[in-house]
């Protein structure tokens, strides 16, 4: 593994303690990001949620599923713990990464954990 000749994949199986919660919503993107439920609901309240690999925890994944399926999420097929369900129609997903946000009459700044500001500054400067 250390020399890069062997690839190892580790995957947590579906179940009640899975870090993705009861459901995840995958969508095509080059970053491998998806939206997901979480068994650790208390983390939703954390201002800094850097324990993530870039995926987005949803506060109420079941409500989001009902919205995606026009109030009627499809029934699962059998008892398999992991099942893919296609949406009835495509839904655009927009994720915005902000390190400065308005707050009243001022601006609040956050750490640029992913280094996106530095990259954008270099692009603006033509470097």
């Amino acid at each position: 593994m250390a020399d890069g000749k062997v690839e190892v994949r580790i995957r947590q199986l579906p179940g009640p303690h899975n870090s993705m919660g009861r459901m995840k919503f995958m969508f095509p993107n080059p970053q491998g990001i998806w939206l997901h439920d979480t068994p650790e609901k208390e983390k939703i309240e954390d201002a800094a949620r850097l324990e993530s690999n870039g995926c987005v925890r949803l506060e109420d994944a079941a409500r989001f599923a009902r919205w995606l399926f026009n109030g009627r999420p499809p029934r699962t097929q059998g008892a398999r713990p992991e099942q893919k369900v296609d949406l009835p129609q495509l839904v655009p997903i927009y994720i915005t990464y902000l390190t400065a946000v308005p707050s009243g009459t001022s601006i609040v700044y956050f750490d640029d954990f992913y280094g996106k500001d530095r990259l954008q500054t270099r692009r603006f400067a033509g470097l």
Side-chain angles (χ1 to χ4, degrees), residues 55-127:
C55 294
V56 179
R57 288 185 191 100
L58 297 171
E59 182 176 357
D60 191 338
R63 187 174 78 187
F64 184 61
R66 285 191 302 275
W67 178 81
L68 287 172
F69 288 93
N70 299 313
R72 295 177 301 266
R75 295 190 183 274
T76 56
Q77 303 297 314
R80 291 188 328 269
E82 184 172 1
Q83 299 180 33
K84 179 183 176 193
V85 177
D86 292 324
L87 294 174
Q89 62 187 31
L90 295 178
V91 176
I93 303 286
Y94 299 96
I95 297 177
T96 305
Y97 176 76
L98 300 173
T99 55
V101 297
S103 177
T105 59
S106 63
I107 297 175
V108 176
Y109 296 92
F110 298 98
D111 290 336
D112 181 19
F113 181 75
Y114 296 105
K116 301 285 187 182
D117 289 348
R118 186 171 45 255
L119 179 64
Q120 197 64 31
T121 300
R122 287 185 174 169
R123 286 186 182 147
F124 287 147
L127 300 175

Side-chain angles (χ1 to χ4, degrees), residues 1-10:
M1 288 183 354
D3 63 5
K5 294 180 182 175
V6 176
E7 183 178 313
V8 175
R9 292 184 155 200
I10 299 173

Side-chain angles (χ1 to χ4, degrees), residues 19 34-38 40-61 95-98 110-111 113-114:
S19 59
W34 53 79
L35 311 176
H36 66 86
D37 186 23
T38 180
E40 301 174 297
K41 301 294 186 195
E42 67 278 0
K43 292 195 175 196
I44 295 295
E45 301 300 321
D46 292 348
R49 295 186 256 166
L50 302 178
E51 294 179 17
S52 169
N53 290 323
C55 294
V56 179
R57 288 185 191 100
L58 297 171
E59 182 176 357
D60 191 338
I95 297 177
T96 305
Y97 176 76
L98 300 173
F110 298 98
D111 290 336
F113 181 75
Y114 296 105

